[in-house]
Amino acid sequence: MSAHGTAQPMTARKSSALKGTASVPGDKSISHRSLIFGAMALGETRVTGLLEGQDVLDTAKAMQAFGATVTRHGEGDWSVQGVGVGGFQEPADVIDCGNSGTGVRLIMGTMATTPMTVTFTGDASLRKRPMGRVTDPLALFGTEAYGRKGGRLPMTVVGAAAPKPVRYTLPVASAQVKSAILLAGLNCPGETVVIEKESTRDHSERMLVGFGAKLEVERTNAGSVITLLGQPTLRAQSVAVPRDPSSAAFPVCAALLVEGSDIFVPGVSQNLTRNGLYITLVEMGAEIEFQNPREEGGEPVADLRVRFSGNMKGIEVPPERAPSMIDEYPILSCVAACASGKTVMRGVKELRVKESDRIDAMARGLEACGVTIEEDEDTLIVHGLGAGNVPGGATCATHIDHRIAMSFLVLGLAAKQPISVDDASPIATSFPLFEGLMTGLGADLSHD
Ligand code: S3P
């Protein structure tokens, strides 16, 4: 099944050394948030380095439907004329968030405490994903939601007219759920409190403070207690979106796997809530140098020099690291296939409710490529074959999931036989220039 009707198969073949600079696009999480917070602020927010992937474009369209003015001035250069907290107007039509769980869940939060009725939908992947994890805590504000069985989209959400502030402990480690509650708390009088036992990406907290909200984070034995004071005046900001560490993962891992490679990847986030993959790769024996550490767009970043690493070893990934690398397990499992020994990934059941069931998608695709795996509900174990030893020679199903598509294409650059994906079109949701960037480094990708 394809994201937009016509499937676009793509094939990756064993490549010679990758060389050059991989300048990856802007961070997806921060791009969504810059448009959403900009729409809820007073004045004109200017955003540079915005990711122009379909997920973010769908959020831009949604913000317009709520009354903000969103303008593109040039590549990655956008402005948002905000309407202020509580200033949203009821959209005249259904809000279609395409493939984006982040988009739909955060936007549900933004309107949950304003009296309006909004119907949300998305593509075939998003319509399978659970929304109850967001609508359950939003119900505590007084928000009502009417969706399909299992809390699936399409779903109509009725914002609370007289919202009551909420104190909520997250039952799953999810930055989307945390952010939805904080966004709802913005238009609610009093203090909204979210408690997270495991830290998840903290872009909402950092950016809300930047836009002028009163938000405090206290670290306690029970986890992080995040307290937001409702009904602030948010003020427009200039946001320089840093590059996306989750997108950087693909050229970085490709360089680790393709013999003779030596690439430079500038400005990769070192935010501790996002860098779990990089720590894991180094533990496996990856040759990655972290150069010129500095701050960009309010995020700690470094330039990475990445060289082919033929002696990587499988490891046990600590389960508590999962939230800081949750989107990177598909590509890690490809690296694991090319390492020696087994890589054990436990505590990863959240992967089952991403753009696809990523444990299942990786397990079936890796098996088709000749790699032995073990799996259960919450675990994926990959038995590595060592560098250059993955047979390949398969077509892997991507299930409308950009990261599954990119992961198998990276593996195909280092496998003995080509690896194809049935549909590369979903890559446009997060990394529209993936093919050009990778072929520019020397990757052999083609459409046959
Ligand atoms: C995101 C949070 C994560 C991640 C997603 C982006 C965000 O999802 O998988 O790609 O921007 O808040 P969960 O909150 O469901 O873990």
Side-chain angles (χ1 to χ4, degrees):
M1 206 187 317
S2 138
H4 311 289
T6 334
Q8 291 168 21
M10 197 184 277
T11 298
R13 293 186 170 76
K14 195 170 181 65
S15 297
S16 44
L18 305 180
K19 302 271 172 175
T21 296
S23 297
V24 302
D27 189 85
K28 184 151 69 74
S29 295
I30 297 176
S31 293
H32 280 294
R33 286 162 173 79
S34 64
L35 297 173
I36 292 171
F37 296 146
M40 298 181 88
L42 288 177
E44 186 183 283
T45 287
R46 194 75 184 217
V47 189
T48 52
L50 187 88
L51 166 67
E52 294 182 343
Q54 192 55 46
D55 279 10
V56 177
L57 300 179
D58 288 334
T59 288
K61 210 164 141 204
M63 290 302 100
Q64 302 239 62
F66 282 100
T69 305
V70 184
T71 312
R72 182 179 193 270
H73 302 278
E75 204 190 317
D77 181 6
W78 291 61
S79 64
V80 187
Q81 189 68 46
V83 292
V85 170
F88 273 8
Q89 68 185 33
E90 185 176 275
D93 203 348
V94 172
I95 298 295
D96 186 346
C97 290
N99 191 246
S100 182
T102 305
V104 75
R105 292 187 176 125
L106 267 57
I107 296 168
M108 279 182 182
T110 63
M111 55 69 55
T113 47
T114 305
M116 58 171 66
T117 300
V118 183
T119 300
F120 293 91
T121 193
D123 71 5
S125 153
L126 192 57
R127 278 184 270 119
K128 284 190 200 151
R129 298 180 67 185
M131 294 298 138
R133 54 178 51 202
V134 170
T135 54
D136 289 351
L138 293 183
L140 304 174
F141 287 97
T143 310
E144 291 169 33
Y146 306 92
R148 288 192 306 129
K149 210 164 134 209
R152 297 325 198 241
L153 301 176
M155 179 174 271
T156 295
V157 180
V158 183
K164 297 174 291 294
V166 159
R167 184 180 178 89
Y168 190 73
T169 302
L170 295 178
V172 282
S174 167
Q176 292 176 359
V177 178
K178 169 178 67 176
S179 302
I181 300 167
L182 293 174
L183 282 160
L186 282 175
N187 197 34
C188 178
E191 284 185 345
T192 289
V193 181
V194 184
I195 300 153
E196 59 174 7
K197 288 174 250 169
E198 300 166 88
S199 294
T200 63
R201 66 192 68 198
D202 59 359
H203 309 303
S204 293
E205 296 91 305
R206 287 168 179 255
M207 292 177 75
L208 278 168
V209 170
F211 276 82
K214 192 161 178 292
L215 179 145
E216 274 161 20
V217 182
E218 196 193 338
R219 314 266 171 217
T220 70
N221 289 341
S224 297
V225 180
I226 305 156
T227 305
L228 172 80
L229 184 62
Q231 299 183 314
T233 301
L234 298 186
R235 301 255 173 238
Q237 297 297 308
S238 288
V239 182
V241 180
R243 298 183 194 280
D244 196 325
S246 300
S247 297
F250 297 103
V252 165
C253 291
L256 294 175
L257 301 187
V258 174
E259 204 170 336
S261 297
D262 185 350
I263 68 164
F264 184 70
V265 191
V268 179
S269 174
Q270 301 296 298
N271 180 321
L272 298 178
T273 63
R274 295 291 296 278
N275 70 346
L277 173 74
Y278 297 91
I279 294 170
T280 303
L281 292 172
V282 169
E283 284 177 4
M284 292 173 80
E287 262 197 73
I288 306 178
E289 269 174 46
F290 298 83
Q291 303 172 343
N292 189 19
R294 59 195 182 277
E295 192 149 300
E296 261 177 28
E299 292 277 323
V301 301
D303 302 328
L304 307 192
R305 180 157 181 201
V306 188
R307 294 184 180 88
F308 168 63
S309 303
N311 289 318
M312 284 189 286
K313 303 213 167 8
I315 64 161
E316 179 122 6
V317 184
E320 61 276 14
R321 196 177 285 164
S324 69
M325 53 181 291
I326 194 66
D327 291 335
E328 281 66 78
Y329 284 97
I331 186 63
L332 175 65
S333 53
C334 292
V335 174
C338 303
S340 54
K342 66 179 182 179
T343 295
V344 180
M345 296 167 264
R346 292 194 202 283
V348 294
K349 65 174 182 295
E350 271 297 293
L351 297 182
R352 296 209 180 266
V353 291
K354 294 294 178 187
E355 285 82 330
S356 67
D357 175 341
R358 286 180 171 163
I359 295 180
D360 185 66
M362 290 314 299
R364 301 293 79 77
L366 285 171
E367 280 173 343
C369 292
V371 180
T372 302
I373 64 97
E374 293 170 63
E375 71 174 299
D376 67 26
E377 183 56 24
D378 198 24
T379 310
L380 178 63
I381 298 172
V382 176
H383 292 263
L385 294 167
N389 292 333
V390 170
T395 297
C396 302
T398 57
H399 303 283
I400 323 182
D401 189 331
H402 53 135
R403 299 199 205 282
I404 300 298
M406 290 186 277
S407 296
F408 283 119
L409 290 170
V410 165
L411 185 60
L413 303 176
K416 290 182 178 168
Q417 297 298 320
I419 295 177
S420 300
V421 295
D422 62 346
D423 186 13
S425 67
I427 294 173
T429 62
S430 69
F431 200 160
L433 304 178
F434 172 80
E435 186 183 351
L437 182 141
M438 295 300 294
T439 52
L441 298 172
D444 185 345
L445 296 175
S446 62
H447 290 270
D448 51 77

